[in-house]
């Protein structure tokens, strides 16, 4: 069984479903409101757990009811919640869902209080892999990558939302999973092949370019290829990238090939679009395996 430590953000998502985004200065009525557990870190932790991995989640929430709700939800998923409390408010995301798309504003709050010195060897001890995103401070991610490497873990980074990353930090990553904008920035060119090649040159073992409804492309030291996504009736695409990341990380951690892991990730991402909410929409392993043939 893969043992995965996820270091990252926990947000409560305030979701407004609307026909379209309002224009500047416009008030749009007729929205439908709900809340859901979210945050890229929490979402990826839930995705890994539902794929059958044993998961530790390292993060920070505020001393408030949103924080209680997020921690309780992780525990219900069977995740070992190594979640501290800070003086700031729990992270909140304002998510607008319109058509197949979404637009998100995050107020990170306590997520920014997860500091490098909060990371302990215990967080990574005996883990197969460690998974990071960028909704927490970059210094914390760099230290976490270094600690995870030193402790023999495979390291995964989803550099979202994008922030400048020194090459030596990228060099601590075994598997990078990113979208076109992130690839252009980190790879230094808008040619995906050149950019992916450049990232491998920094020491990354495998790079995956996620392309939403168009699937994903990958390049590793041993292989390259692409996987198409099947067409699905999108209910809510929030968290689809996180579903990909979780499923991909679990498959690689179990020793599967890049192509198998990307195929699994693309299917998990498609399934996550079929349900509302970020964490509530993460598919189980049985659902992904069942859909592999069908979709
Ligand atoms: O990736 C989706 C997530 O981004 C949402 O759950 C929201 O909390 C933001 O962090």
């Amino acid at each position: 069984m893969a043992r995965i430590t996820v270091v990252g953000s926990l947000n409560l998502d305030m979701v407004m479903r609307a026909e379209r985004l309002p224009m500047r200065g416009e008030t749009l009525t007729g929205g439908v409101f709900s809340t859901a557990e979210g945050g890229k870190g929490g979402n990826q932790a839930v995705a890994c757990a539902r794929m059958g991995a044993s998961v530790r989640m390292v993060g920070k929430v505020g001393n408030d009811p949103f924080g209680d709700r997020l921690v309780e939800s992780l525990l219900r998923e069977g995740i070992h919640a190594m979640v501290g409390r800070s003086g700031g408010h729990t992270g909140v995301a304002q998510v607008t869902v319109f058509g197949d798309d979404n637009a998100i504003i995050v107020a990170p709050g306590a997520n920014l209080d997860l500091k490098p010195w909060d990371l302990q060897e215990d967080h990574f001890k005996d883990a197969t892999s460690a998974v990071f995103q960028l909704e927490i401070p970059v210094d914390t991610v760099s230290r976490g990558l270094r600690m995870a490497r030193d402790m023999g873990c495979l390291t995964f980074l989803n550099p979202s939302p994008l922030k400048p990353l020194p090459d030596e930090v990228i060099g601590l990553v075994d598997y990078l999973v990113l979208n076109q904008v992130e690839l252009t920035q980190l790879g230094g060119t808008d040619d995906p092949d050149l950019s992916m090649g450049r990232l491998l040159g920094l020491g990354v073992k495998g790079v995956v370019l996620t392309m939403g409804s168009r699937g994903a492309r990958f390049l590793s030291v041993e292989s390259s290829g692409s996987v198409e996504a099947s067409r699905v009736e999108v209910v809510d695409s929030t968290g689809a990238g996180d579903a990909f990341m979780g499923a991909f990380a679990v498959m690689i951690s179990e020793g599967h090939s890049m192509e198998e892991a990307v195929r699994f990730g693309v299917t998990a991402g498609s399934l996550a679009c079929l349900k509302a909410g970020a964490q509530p929409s993460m598919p189980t392993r049985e659902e992904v395996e069942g859909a592999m043939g069908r979709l």
Side-chain angles (χ1 to χ4, degrees):
M1 179 196 273
R3 292 177 305 280
I4 300 190
T5 296
V6 179
V7 180
S9 58
L10 293 157
N11 296 332
L12 192 69
D13 290 355
M14 303 281 156
V15 186
M16 186 77 79
R17 182 174 287 275
E19 281 191 4
R20 59 174 173 83
L21 285 179
M23 287 181 292
R24 178 184 284 210
E26 183 189 23
T27 300
L28 198 61
T29 52
V32 177
F33 177 71
S34 58
T35 61
E37 297 83 9
K40 294 183 194 302
N43 297 348
Q44 293 177 19
V46 170
C48 290
R50 292 193 184 169
M51 287 298 130
S54 158
V55 181
R56 273 172 274 186
M57 170 79 213
V58 180
K60 262 205 183 153
V61 294
N63 228 330
D64 50 34
F66 288 177
D68 297 343
R69 173 173 166 181
L70 291 170
V71 172
E72 279 158 21
S73 170
L74 292 174
L75 296 175
R76 272 198 306 276
E77 296 287 339
I79 294 170
H80 185 176
M82 302 173 109
V83 178
R85 300 278 178 160
S86 92
H89 66 80
T90 294
V92 174
Q94 178 191 301
V95 181
T96 307
V97 177
F98 56 103
D100 288 3
D101 233 321
N102 62 67
I104 303 178
I105 303 174
V106 174
N111 292 303
L112 294 185
D113 294 332
L114 185 67
K115 302 292 187 190
W117 50 86
D118 288 319
L119 300 181
Q120 314 284 331
E121 290 200 344
D122 263 8
H123 295 151
F124 303 102
K125 192 163 177 278
D126 300 326
T128 324
S129 304
V131 173
F132 302 83
Q133 325 73 35
L134 295 181
E135 281 188 330
I136 55 171
V138 170
D139 284 358
T140 308
V141 172
S142 331
R143 176 164 155 85
L145 285 166
R146 220 166 251 119
M147 285 178 81
R149 263 281 172 88
D150 289 349
M151 297 192 67
C153 303
L154 283 174
T155 55
F156 294 75
L157 175 65
N158 172 213
S160 175
L162 186 63
K163 293 173 185 160
L165 284 180
D167 284 355
E168 69 261 24
V169 173
I170 298 175
L172 295 168
V173 178
D174 291 312
Y175 294 93
L176 256 182
V177 175
L178 70 192
N179 65 24
Q180 180 66 66
V181 175
E182 294 152 0
L183 180 62
T184 301
Q185 289 296 316
L186 294 186
T189 139
D190 54 16
D191 178 323
D193 295 311
L194 280 181
S195 284
M196 289 202 274
R198 182 173 173 268
L199 293 168
L200 286 195
L202 295 176
V204 177
K205 288 195 181 109
V207 181
V208 183
L209 167 62
T210 54
M211 303 182 296
S213 59
R214 290 183 294 124
R217 291 172 60 176
F218 63 91
L219 178 68
S220 76
V221 277
E222 287 124 21
S223 62
S224 64
S226 59
V227 173
E228 275 188 29
S230 307
R231 280 185 64 82
V232 291
E233 282 297 312
V234 176
V235 172
D236 177 0
S237 59
T238 314
D242 300 323
F244 180 102
M245 183 70 178
F248 173 78
V250 171
M251 292 299 277
I252 292 286
S253 305
E254 289 181 358
H256 295 274
S257 69
M258 275 290 275
E259 178 163 1
E260 288 168 316
V262 171
R263 205 169 282 290
F264 217 77
V266 166
T267 308
S270 298
L271 290 177
C273 293
L274 300 178
K275 290 186 195 158
Q279 289 177 31
S281 72
M282 295 298 148
T284 62
R285 187 165 190 135
E286 293 65 37
E287 287 169 333
V288 175
E289 285 171 349
M292 296 282 282
R294 244 183 318 114
L295 284 181

